Amino acid sequence: MTVPTARQVAGRRLRASRGVAGALLAIVLVAIVLAALRPATPADALDPASPDQDGARALTEILRQRGTPLTVARTTTDAAEHSTSDSVVVVTRPGRLTRADLLRLSAAPGDLVLVAPSARVLAALAPTVEEGGQSYGDSGPPDCPVPAAQQAGSVAFGSSLTYTVPPGATGCYRESGLARLVQVPVGSRTVTILGSAAPLTNAHLDEEGDAALALNLVGARSSAVWLVPDLPPPGADRGDRSLGDMVPFGWRLLPVGLAVAIVLIALWRMRRFGPVVAEALPVVVRSAETIEGRSRLYRAHHARGSAAAALRASARARLVPLLGLPRGAATDPAAAPEIVTAVARRTTHDEAAVGYALYGPEPADDAALVALPGLLDDLERQVRDS
Amino acid sequence: MAVTGRLGLLALLGALLPLLVPSWWTLLAVWAVLAFGVIVDVAFAGNVRALELHRAGDTSVRLGEAARVALIVENAGRRRVRARLRDVWPPSAGAAPRVVRIDVPAGERRRIEMTLTPTRRGDRDAVTVVVRSRGPLGLAARQLSRPAPWRVRVLPAFPSRRHLPAKLARLRELTGANVAQIRGQGTEFDSLREYVAGDDVRSIDWRATARRGDVVVRTWRPEQNRRLYLVLDTGRTSAGRVGDVPRLDCSMDAALLLGALASRAGDRVDLLAYDRRVRARVEGTSRTDVLTAMVQAMAPLEPALVESDAAGMVSALLARVRQRSLVVLLTDLNAAAIEEGLYPVLPRLTARHLVLVAAVSDPRAAAMARARGDLVSAYDAAAAERARAERDRLTAELRAFGVEVVDAPPDRIAPALADAYLALKAAGRL
């Protein structure tokens, strides 16, 4: 097996990761498409600081220039603090108000302008008015005695909610009996319900009588509070009931009973049936361990010389009796030529090869050492067979 | 006191009851019922203290075979005992069954058969007997440990006894009546018999021939009543494992075969196990009992991880043995142990006795010496050859001292030692 080049390895890894990269890309694309398609209300709609199409900066700037002090409030607490009996609180995006917020607003003094309120908001702040439906007609004569509407004339509402006009209230810009602008006295205050946010926005302020309507509604009193509620925290409107309150009592006893049962089961399993018996075990030492250790030491230090000497000495010791020489000759250097000659005569190897095999120098490399036992085996076999 | 799984299960089911009747009282009622059940069970469970335990059965077993030990449970109490019983033995005793169910009516007894299959040699003591006596409802039990002492001695396996018939046949050839032996040293007069063609004419007893009027020859047999002293080295070299068995166990096996053979041959056999002190000694037993005595003496021997004291061993030997004997030293040919320990004291031993050293060689070393092919096996072969050269040198040096040496792998050491003994006997060197 050939070793792959770095380029091949890189290519293989790239191919392997293609699927993962493709999947990640697909996920990002889908996320972008979903985000683009999402019909969310922009966060700064009717924000007095926003210069966007649906912001309300133009209106609030004009109001300030005309000398009406305008406070921007982000919470109902703030709004209630700044509202006086001679002020108008403009409640934009009332859908964000929680129950507590609505209570706080209804307790605050001064007039209210509600921008496209839902039935829930109406129930809290103008209980007599009910939500009617949607209207798309752009404009029409006010046809009512509200001064602001009369001064404004026809107004570009865009699409707008409509409301019923209860007795005692004044409805303007009616369409089939339902009004887009309702002014109703609630207690000592006047609550004005505007069906559409369009007359207040930067985009539509210059159309028809929008500016007049907006300025007259918001600047009707000596000061104005512009409430743009922040998103309430999740669960803020749920009240004091926790999850536990909703669980039936019987189920709440279950964990207690289960805990006791588990303790009893643990006691059952815990009780040991008799003692643990310890036993002295015999030591395990392999007899060949010292030999293996010596082999590893040879290898670790590349002791080819010592290893070859051991192999040669034992081969000589086995060869010498076969050759009919005295046993001592195997370790006697003086007998070397005699042994080599005798072995060479009985084998196919020449004297040089036999001399290297039996008395040679330290093998030059590992391959030579690996080959040595084979060579010695061959000599021994040939001598034995001769 | 112990609770049962049934109690836990009931508590678990009871925990579901408040779902039907949601009230604290439901739960408390469940617990009260269970607590009452536990009290009843503990109160009416059979009395464990009133049980009397006895044992019967085997007291010794050969390693590899199964021993049967009975446990007799006698109920001296007034109530019936329904219980689970565990007879606790050490793990290497291989006791089965682990747990038994017993049902002993008052005043009766039951016998429980235990089977022990020990995995190691030595003494195995029963630890205790645990009885868990269950109440009538099965919710709680009374548990107690009662002593029931018993000891099973696990004897050496002696696998080489299969060689004994063959060696005895050889022995009969040596001593036998049908082969006329040439008179030599170490033989003694056996009997006179008629001349048969082929007998050595030198063995004709002329005086008897004259008396009988027929040619009579004398027969000779190897001398009997020689003395054999088997010395087991239980020091560190005996702990090394050859294959999966400690060297000591191989030596024991060889010693047992030699002991069995020599006692049949009419020789006296003694045994000494020694490392730094006497571990076991068998002396002066009769020929018929010697094997049993040796096996019993060997059973609890374990290798000690200390250097053997050869001088002490020789002293212990010489102090007891006056008569010339064959001293068989079962040890290992370990250069350090032999050269430093045995050589200095060997002349004292060889001066009076014939010494035979029997050593178990390791087949793994032989396999390593034959390893070929790669660098690892080349170095392995070199290391193994070096070890072998060392053993060969020690063998040669010991022979120079006049010591006989038997060096064989574990599967051949016992017959090899027996053969060496028979050869010595045939040569009349005992």
Side-chain angles (χ1 to χ4, degrees), chain A residues 4-33:
Chain A
T5 64
R7 182 189 294 268
Q8 282 170 327
V9 170
R12 199 180 296 162
R13 292 209 180 128
L14 197 66
R15 276 193 296 282
S17 58
R18 218 166 28 182
V20 177
L24 282 177
L25 198 66
I27 288 171
V28 168
L29 283 177
V30 167
I32 289 171
V33 169

Side-chain angles (χ1 to χ4, degrees), chain A residues 100-161:
Chain A
D101 286 335
L102 292 172
L103 283 173
R104 214 169 287 136
L105 275 183
S106 70
D111 292 351
L112 286 174
V113 174
L114 307 176
V115 180
S118 62
R120 185 174 66 91
V121 178
L122 287 175
L125 298 178
T128 50
V129 184
E130 283 169 20
E131 197 179 339
Q134 196 94 21
S135 125
Y136 300 96
D138 236 14
S139 64
D143 195 18
C144 69
V146 174
Q150 278 179 344
Q151 284 166 14
S154 71
V155 165
F157 279 103
S159 71
S160 166
L161 292 171

Side-chain angles (χ1 to χ4, degrees), chain A residues 273 279 285 292 295 377, chain B residues 86 92 143 241 364 372 380:
Chain A
F273 197 23
E279 188 176 10
V285 192
E292 284 162 4
S295 163
D377 285 349
Chain B
R86 180 182 162 209
S92 71
Q143 178 173 324
R241 300 217 160 198
R364 168 99 182 102
R372 297 287 183 268
D380 276 358

Side-chain angles (χ1 to χ4, degrees), chain B residues 243-303:
Chain B
D244 197 30
V245 184
R247 184 168 269 129
L248 180 65
D249 286 35
C250 301
S251 300
M252 282 183 184
D253 187 40
L256 285 173
L257 182 67
L258 182 55
L261 187 62
S263 63
R264 302 283 185 95
D267 292 334
R268 275 188 56 197
V269 182
D270 297 321
L271 174 79
L272 175 73
Y274 198 92
D275 43 68
R276 297 201 76 82
R277 61 185 183 82
V278 176
R279 296 277 168 190
R281 198 198 280 270
V282 176
E283 268 179 357
T285 45
S286 71
R287 281 171 200 167
T288 48
D289 296 340
V290 70
L291 201 63
T292 321
M294 275 172 68
V295 160
Q296 290 286 346
M298 282 176 182
L301 287 182
E302 290 291 341

Side-chain angles (χ1 to χ4, degrees), chain A residues 177-204:
Chain A
L178 299 169
R180 293 172 194 166
L181 179 75
V182 180
Q183 208 158 47
V184 57
V186 178
S188 62
R189 61 155 58 137
T190 308
V191 177
T192 309
I193 297 153
L194 187 60
S196 166
L200 310 178
T201 58
N202 295 340
H204 300 286

Side-chain angles (χ1 to χ4, degrees), chain A residues 7-65:
Chain A
R7 182 189 294 268
Q8 282 170 327
V9 170
R12 199 180 296 162
R13 292 209 180 128
L14 197 66
R15 276 193 296 282
S17 58
R18 218 166 28 182
V20 177
L24 282 177
L25 198 66
I27 288 171
V28 168
L29 283 177
V30 167
I32 289 171
V33 169
L34 282 178
L37 288 179
R38 194 168 152 208
T41 319
D44 47 4
L46 289 181
D47 193 309
S50 167
D52 282 351
Q53 295 268 314
D54 50 4
R57 188 161 162 183
L59 177 62
T60 51
E61 282 303 312
I62 294 169
L63 269 174
R64 284 207 180 99
Q65 280 168 19

Side-chain angles (χ1 to χ4, degrees), chain A residues 250 253-254 257 260 268 271-274 277 279-280 282 285 287-288 292 294-295 298-299 314 318 370 373 377, chain B residues 1 3 5 15 23 31 84 86 88 91-92 120 130 143 240-241 247 362 364 372-373 376 380 385-386 388:
Chain A
L253 288 179
L254 186 65
V260 170
W268 164 50
R271 185 79 165 100
R272 179 175 284 139
F273 197 23
V277 184
E279 188 176 10
V285 192
S287 170
E292 284 162 4
R294 188 190 288 275
S295 163
Y298 278 158
R299 203 163 61 216
S314 64
R318 283 194 296 270
V370 172
D377 285 349
Chain B
M1 162 94 191
V3 298
S23 161
W31 293 341
R84 294 195 327 141
R86 180 182 162 209
V88 187
S92 71
R120 281 195 297 123
V130 186
Q143 178 173 324
R241 300 217 160 198
R247 184 168 269 129
D362 191 348
R364 168 99 182 102
R372 297 287 183 268
V376 174
D380 276 358
E385 289 293 8
R386 206 186 138 136
R388 185 150 72 185

